[in-house]
Amino acid sequence: MAKSESAVGGPVARGAVAGSQHHLAEGGLRRPRGGGWPAVGALAAGTFTVVTSEMLPVGLLTPIGRDLGVSDGTAGLTVTVTGLVAAVAAPVLTLLIGRRDRRVVLAALMGTLTVANLLAAYAPNVLVLLAARVLVGLGMGGVWAIASGLAVRLVPERRVAAATSLIFSGVAAASVLGVPAGALVGELAGWRASFVVMAGVCAAVGIALRVLLPPLPAAGAVRLGGVLGLLRRPAVRTGLLVVALLVTGHFAAYTYVRPVLEEVAGARPGQIGTVLLVFGVAGLAGNFVSGTGAARAPRATLLGICAVLAAAVLLVPPMGRAAGVLGAAALVAVWGLAYGGVSVSTQTWLMAAAPDALEASSALFVAVFNGAIAAGALAGGQAADGWGTGGVITLGGVLAAGALLAVALGRGPARGAASAG
């Protein structure tokens, strides 16, 4: 096994931050006046909004399918398409925006999400809904790729790890508040109302980003060669492989968690939102716990995440049959605790592996992450239609176990690599 940093994670993580600050200063990207925690909070609201927009159909699959006359697998394409488009949009938009002020770009992308959610609310058929979800993918890919690496430009060096965790807390908060709230609104007023509400949230967050972020011009445009060149770094390749396996496995199962809970544990429609809320609360806690752990020991943290996630996913069906909704909900909470740390832990790994190319590595991260969402939703749909709920869960658990092997055997950020850049 290649040497890595379970024991030296602290120096590597701190080196990643110090190296990032050094390279930013060299390139003319000194921390601007303003910003600080209000700006970080606005970015957290941005990640919350884009992930909620992406995952909103998860809690609404059954009513969407029933209203538009399509199967659960076909309705799941609304998640697949969004992830696939976001995977392409993240690196492409990062290249296209050049030196443009990131504050202006983020506000414009939130406007795109506002329009996309309004179009989804109007959709008379699945084709129009899928078109709206393409727009969601464009907005999401751009926002996430830009926002995920901005903490280093907004707060002092000693606060970067905490600020990064806060930005990624929006991902977990989307599960805590966004998806369950969308499911609740769908139960009370219909699934279309959920998309209207989401459009309003996107508009508000876009205004907040425009007001609270300082000007964030780029010192130099990201080049295609620079993005692709990162793939030559073994630690970057390992990190991206872990992202691909974990996220594909999670979404293969989680996209169809509502049918699984209904069929295996006998959950009623009114209970689904509560179980998703439990998942999200646990995920929010997992984000901050894992963010702290990953700053000290990225490999050890990811090993724990992979092991717990694989076990929890595979045990949901037997626990649901044996103990009903309460038993399944308990394991869904453990699942959420583990998955809540995936984004911040893998991003921390990549920051340590490429501190000299934060925006380029973030673009790759978002591309792989969202490609994995699309792959997971698609694979889950095939498993659900072909093998039933048992096949969905097995697929998710096996892929999480594969991520465990990748973390254990792959190359991690080497000592001193971060400061060397």
Side-chain angles (χ1 to χ4, degrees), residues 220-246:
V222 177
R223 304 296 182 189
L224 179 61
V227 175
L228 298 180
L230 291 178
L231 297 176
R232 291 195 292 268
R233 304 187 189 188
V236 171
R237 291 199 303 268
T238 298
L240 293 176
L241 175 61
V242 172
V243 171
L245 290 170
L246 278 178

Side-chain angles (χ1 to χ4, degrees), residues 250 253-254 257 260-261 264-265 275-276 278-280 282-283 307-340 393:
H250 167 73
Y254 186 67
V257 69
V260 168
L261 291 172
V264 173
V275 175
L276 293 178
V278 169
F279 175 95
V308 173
L309 186 60
V313 170
L314 290 171
L315 290 173
V316 165
M319 181 63 75
R321 295 186 187 98
V325 177
L326 289 179
L331 274 178
V332 167
V334 175
W335 179 352
L337 183 68
Y339 186 74
I393 293 299

Side-chain angles (χ1 to χ4, degrees), residues 105-307:
V105 173
L106 285 170
L109 290 170
M110 293 306 302
T112 301
L113 284 163
T114 302
V115 172
N117 281 298
L118 288 174
L119 180 60
Y122 159 78
N125 55 57
V126 72
L127 292 179
V128 175
L129 181 59
L130 289 174
R133 301 296 294 171
V134 167
L135 288 178
V136 171
L138 288 173
M140 178 187 173
V143 170
W144 199 350
I146 297 169
S148 60
L150 285 181
V152 72
R153 299 183 62 183
L154 297 173
V155 298
E157 177 183 328
R158 67 184 183 279
R159 302 296 185 190
V160 169
T164 300
S165 292
L166 181 58
I167 290 171
F168 277 97
S169 72
V171 178
S175 297
V176 176
L177 299 174
V179 176
L184 178 61
V185 172
E187 291 290 337
L188 297 176
W191 65 269
R192 297 178 189 275
S194 298
F195 286 98
V196 173
V197 171
M198 197 67 245
V201 174
C202 290
V205 172
I207 294 171
L209 288 168
R210 190 69 176 83
V211 171
L212 296 176
L213 287 178
L216 294 168
V222 177
R223 304 296 182 189
L224 179 61
V227 175
L228 298 180
L230 291 178
L231 297 176
R232 291 195 292 268
R233 304 187 189 188
V236 171
R237 291 199 303 268
T238 298
L240 293 176
L241 175 61
V242 172
V243 171
L245 290 170
L246 278 178
V247 177
T248 300
H250 167 73
F251 279 96
Y254 186 67
T255 301
Y256 298 92
V257 69
R258 178 169 183 159
V260 168
L261 291 172
E262 289 173 341
E263 295 174 18
V264 173
R268 299 187 301 274
Q271 296 173 315
I272 300 298
T274 301
V275 175
L276 293 178
L277 178 61
V278 169
F279 175 95
V281 170
L284 187 58
N287 173 79
F288 288 104
V289 171
S290 297
T292 301
R296 298 187 177 94
R299 186 186 294 275
T301 301
L302 278 172
L303 284 172
I305 287 172
C306 295

